[in-house]
């Protein structure tokens, strides 16, 4: 629900913040309601201290700019829930002036650096893996502005969003699942419409299984149909309702359901993610990732332009894991993954471009009544089919609870302390 609020606003801060926002959001015109909405969302994302007057001093350069005569009145419609989060009734104007000042003095990288996961799926990259990736890419010392970043099985986009801010020549986010590509495209093209949909919908239904389950069933029906219909398409959609339903479903269709506040915190990452998508020339594609592994692939972009990639690219490849493909499979037939893994390992063995390849190294628990030792042995042997003694560099990462490990495999030696090569089969790589 929206509420009309009469605000007393500082002219200098308004002009500076508006100019910065137009430039960062690449817009010629921004409506006042959108301007205030963006300020509030970015302020909440950055946890701006609404009481801190220092922002205003930092964002202004002369006492005249802070004088009462430099203020004007404007009535703006603002979502009630957001107002409640920033200030009490008498302080709305003060809060918005502080938010404008905080925005003016914040470099864009404060929003676009290391954005935490927007939502989760099975096999998504958590904050630990995001940080490991960000530091690996940092240590590689690449010439970003000449390079294309390709996240070839990007799903939630967590790997790309978790990086620091770079001026890549291009960014390609690819996934075969239309629900993933649609969401990223909505974030890129229509983030405010997605946020409005979120703010207009009451999420209290998730608190009670009697109201949650029927709604979830409805959403999953829509999403299954959508994925089925578009699974062979290469054209990436921009369906805001599906993006919304997918986002909410991913937050509540799991053992530990996220609460309304957790979901709000995730939603606050949408605008930083949007900024990160538009600050680079970003393309979202729905192709088999194998396309991106060959030497010089030619990709048909959404605008039908052909893009020829050379070795000046960094490939991030987080496909369904060896041994547990069914959980994130994008192929109808899981058997295809044996050939897939061999093909991928061969391409990576020959790659002239740097890459980071991810694979879960902890075996799945309780498969076929195997003992943990047997499961571990099988996992290691499976991995050896593709990665043993191939001149790759391995980095073993302990995930949060330390019982799960993941391997980051690369053809680049970027960290002599943490990376090792697998040349002796008896090495303890898991
Ligand atoms: C392990 S998940 C990637 C997780 C991702 N890094 C994240 O943090 O959200 C694997 C993804 O690969 C996609 N996928 C599976 N096979 C693919 C293929 N052959 N080409 C492109 N994407 C594929 C799946 O749709 C799934 O989204």
């Amino acid at each position: 629900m929206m509420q009309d609020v009469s605000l007393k606003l500082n002219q200098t801060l308004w002009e500076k913040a508006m100019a910065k926002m137009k430039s960062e959001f690449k817009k010629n015109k921004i409506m006042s309601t959108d301007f205030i909405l963006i300020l509030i969302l970015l302020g909440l994302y950055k946890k701006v201290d609404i009481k801190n007057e220092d922002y205003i001093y930092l964002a202004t350069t002369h006492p005249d700019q802070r004088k009462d005569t430099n203020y004007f009145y404007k009535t703006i419609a603002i979502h009630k829930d957001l107002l409640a989060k920033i200030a009490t009734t008498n302080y709305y104007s003060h809060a918005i002036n502080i938010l404008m000042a905080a925005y003016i003095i914040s470099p864009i990288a404060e929003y676009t650096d290391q954005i935490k996961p927007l939502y989760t799926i099975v096999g998504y990259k958590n904050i630990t893996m995001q940080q490991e990736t960000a530091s690996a890419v940092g240590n590689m010392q690449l010439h970003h502005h000449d390079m294309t970043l390709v996240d070839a099985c990007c799903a939630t986009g967590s790997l790309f969003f978790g990086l620091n801010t770079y001026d890549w020549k291009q960014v390609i986010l690819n996934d075969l699942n239309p629900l993933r590509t649609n969401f990223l495209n909505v974030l890129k093209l229509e983030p405010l419409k997605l946020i409005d949909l979120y703010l207009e919908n009451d999420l209290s239904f998730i608190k009670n299984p009697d109201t949650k389950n029927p709604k979830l069933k409805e959403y999953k029906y829509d999403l299954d149909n959508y994925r089925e219909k578009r699974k062979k398409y290469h054209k990436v959609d921009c369906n805001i309702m599906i993006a919304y339903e997918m986002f909410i479903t991913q937050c509540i269709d799991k053992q530990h359901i996220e609460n309304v506040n957790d979901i709000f915190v995730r939603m606050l990452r949408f605008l930083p993610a949007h900024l990160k998508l538009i600050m680079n020339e970003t393309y979202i594609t729905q192709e088999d990732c194998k396309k991106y592994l060959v030497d010089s692939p030619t990709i048909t972009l959404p605008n039908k332009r052909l893009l020829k990639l050379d070795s000046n690219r960094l490939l991030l490849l987080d496909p369904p894991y060896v041994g547990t493909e069914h959980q994130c499979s994008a192929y109808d037939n899981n058997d295809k993954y044996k050939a897939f893994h061999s093909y991928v390992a061969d391409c990576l063995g020959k790659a002239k471009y740097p890459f980071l390849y991810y694979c879960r190294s902890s075996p799945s628990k309780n498969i076929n009544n195997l003992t943990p030792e047997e499961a571990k042995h099988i996992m290691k042997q499976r991995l050896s089919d593709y990665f043993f003694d191939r001149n790759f560099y391995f980095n073993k990462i302990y995930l949060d609870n330390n019982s799960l490990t993941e391997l980051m495999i690369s053809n680049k030696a970027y960290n002599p302390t943490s990376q090792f090569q697998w040349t002796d089969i008896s090495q303890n790589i898991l």
Side-chain angles (χ1 to χ4, degrees), residues 123-125 153-156 158 175-176 288-289 318 320 328 330-331 337:
Y124 84 106
K125 287 289 170 272
C153 290
C154 68
T156 64
S158 183
D175 201 286
L176 266 185
D288 194 311
C289 64
D318 184 20
C328 289
Y331 293 141
Y337 276 102

Side-chain angles (χ1 to χ4, degrees), residues 125-266:
K125 287 289 170 272
N126 67 8
I127 297 173
T128 307
M129 290 307 298
Q130 284 187 313
Q131 287 169 348
E132 290 290 342
T133 305
S135 86
V137 172
N139 287 339
M140 283 184 187
Q141 303 196 330
L142 306 165
H143 297 286
H144 309 97
H145 58 277
D146 295 328
M147 295 189 79
T148 301
L149 174 75
V150 182
D151 187 351
C153 290
C154 68
T156 64
S158 183
L159 285 175
F160 166 64
F161 291 128
L163 295 179
N164 287 316
T165 306
Y166 298 111
D167 57 340
W168 301 102
K169 185 173 151 206
Q170 274 137 353
V171 173
I172 297 178
L173 301 181
N174 177 72
D175 201 286
L176 266 185
N177 185 333
L179 292 168
R180 311 282 163 253
T181 54
N182 175 64
F183 186 77
L184 291 168
N185 210 27
V186 169
L187 275 186
K188 180 182 160 188
L189 301 177
E190 297 291 1
L192 290 184
K193 288 194 181 147
L194 178 63
I195 289 168
D196 272 334
L197 196 54
Y198 169 89
L199 291 170
E200 279 157 15
N201 274 281
D202 178 8
L203 280 187
S204 56
F205 75 89
I206 69 174
K207 293 180 191 150
N208 180 347
D210 291 341
T211 48
K212 186 200 79 177
N213 292 340
K215 191 68 143 184
L216 190 54
K217 199 169 160 198
E218 207 182 287
Y219 284 2
K220 284 168 85 171
Y221 177 81
D222 293 347
L223 300 177
D224 286 347
N225 283 341
Y226 181 88
R227 190 179 43 230
E228 194 52 32
K229 184 173 156 219
R230 301 191 68 94
K231 71 178 180 197
K232 298 238 158 66
Y233 289 19
H234 293 292
K235 187 173 173 354
V236 173
D237 202 7
C238 185
N239 183 323
I240 295 154
M241 187 49 103
I242 287 291
Y244 172 75
E245 291 186 0
M246 192 283 296
F247 172 67
I248 300 297
T249 301
Q250 290 303 141
C251 294
I252 62 173
D253 186 25
K254 50 190 174 187
Q255 201 182 358
H256 299 293
I257 296 169
E258 295 181 19
N259 65 37
V260 174
N261 193 49
D262 297 336
I263 300 175
F264 181 79
V265 169
R266 289 198 188 277

Side-chain angles (χ1 to χ4, degrees), residues 10 41-42 54 70 91 119 154 158 185 232 243-244 249 256 260-261 277 298 329 344 347 356 379 387 399 401:
N10 181 290
L41 292 171
L42 291 181
D54 287 353
N70 195 33
Y91 289 95
Y119 67 95
C154 68
S158 183
N185 210 27
K232 298 238 158 66
Y244 172 75
T249 301
H256 299 293
V260 174
N261 193 49
L277 289 168
T298 302
S329 170
V344 168
C347 287
L356 285 171
M379 180 55 113
F387 302 115
L399 298 178
N401 62 11

